[in-house]
Structures are given as structure tokens and as C-alpha cells.
Amino acid sequence: MADIHEQLCALLDNEGAVYRVVEHAAEGRTELIAQIRGNRIEQSIKSMTLQVRLTRKENIYCLANVPGDCRIDFDGVKKYFNADSVAFAAREKAQALTECVIGAIPPFSFSEQLQVLADPLIRENEEVVFNAGRLDRSIFMKMEDYIRIAKPQMVKIALRG
């Protein structure tokens, strides 16, 4: 099976996306990678895997995507799913679902078990940038192409400041 970076580039090519891959020093922290790439932090899409506990016995997982200058609004995710609780997924589970190390997760899902959410604040940028399945590669692409291809459920899940 192709790695996530290769799958992502193939998907973007097949969908006719306008994008560019940038190689850089390996880094997964949003604040530092934005400096290395030379982009505004709010242009970055930060992707985190969440465990949503719908009931005591039923869990689902989602990929929550927010601008790089924001943090996850767990209450927003909880309300959206009408869930009992929401938390970051365990590291091993997040890496299994995304097939990426933490910090390299792109805002796309290649797993049936991982639904994609994105905060509407990502629409503030014409171009977005994110780690592309590897800590040493990022993709810059048009925000419209991201929404068209990733098809995230747009949900208020970001807190700024």
C-alpha cells in the first residue's frame, strides 16, 4: 500500500487540485513549521484525531481540522455529535487510523472509521497549508480545492486566542 503522502498526492492529482509540495526540516508543531515554511500560522490547518464517546459503549473517531492559531473546542464537537464526551484519541489509535505519526496528519481521511470535520474559520484563507503525511513535507493548496476534495463537515469546533 502506498504511504499517506503518496495517496494524498495521487488523490489531489486525480481531482485536478492546484497544489505544491514543499520539502523542509522534519517538524510537526504548528508554530514552528509555519516559521520554517514561511506561511501565516492561521493559514495552517491543524489536524487532530478525536475520540467521540457517543454513549458509555459506543465510540467513533473524527479528524478535527482547525486553523493553526486555534485550538479544538471540545464542547463544539460534543454538541455536534450529541456525545457524552470528547477527547484526543490515544496516540496509537490516532496513528493507526491516519497511518501517520502525530504531527504529520493531513486534513484528509483515508479511513472509513474517521470522519472529517473542519471549522468554517479555515475559509478565511484562499490558500491553506498542512503537513502532508510526513513530518518533512507540506502541501500548499487552494482552500476551495481542499473543501471540494476532502468534503469535511463544516462545524464550529475552533477556539481562537
Side-chain angles (χ1 to χ4, degrees):
M1 186 162 89
D3 75 7
I4 292 299
H5 178 73
E6 291 169 5
Q7 286 184 57
L8 182 56
C9 291
L11 173 67
L12 298 179
D13 289 342
N14 290 341
E15 293 291 335
V18 175
Y19 73 97
R20 69 187 188 282
V21 175
V22 176
E23 293 186 37
H24 49 72
E27 179 56 61
R29 292 167 293 179
T30 306
E31 303 76 27
L32 297 178
I33 194 60
Q35 291 174 354
I36 291 168
R37 293 186 299 227
N39 64 276
R40 296 181 340 275
I41 192 164
E42 60 272 12
Q43 241 185 316
S44 303
I45 297 180
K46 219 173 5 184
S47 303
M48 289 151 286
T49 309
L50 304 181
Q51 177 180 357
V52 180
R53 180 154 289 161
L54 299 174
T55 65
R56 281 201 346 232
K57 295 183 179 181
E58 186 183 6
N59 290 320
I60 60 170
Y61 293 88
C62 69
L63 188 63
N65 298 292
V66 299
D69 63 334
C70 295
R71 63 187 195 281
I72 298 288
D73 176 5
F74 289 101
D75 285 336
V77 177
K78 188 176 163 181
K79 280 183 198 139
Y80 177 73
F81 287 108
N82 194 23
D84 286 351
S85 66
V86 175
F88 289 113
R91 182 180 216 74
E92 300 75 29
K93 185 68 173 181
Q95 291 181 166
L97 287 169
T98 63
E99 299 180 51
C100 295
V101 298
I102 302 300
I105 299 170
F108 291 81
S109 175
F110 293 93
S111 168
E112 298 275 322
Q113 300 172 47
L114 194 61
Q115 18 187 330
V116 181
L117 306 182
D119 191 277
L121 290 173
I122 66 168
R123 291 183 185 265
E124 292 177 353
N125 299 288
E126 270 183 49
E127 186 178 57
V128 293
V129 59
F130 47 87
N131 278 12
R134 293 174 51 161
L135 291 173
D136 64 350
R137 300 271 162 78
S138 293
I139 287 180
F140 285 78
M141 70 183 296
K142 291 187 180 305
M143 183 273 305
E144 292 161 359
D145 280 344
Y146 166 70
I147 303 253
R148 176 176 60 84
I149 298 166
K151 298 177 179 63
Q153 298 165 63
M154 299 304 278
V155 183
K156 178 91 184 75
I157 57 167
L159 295 171
R160 200 165 246 158

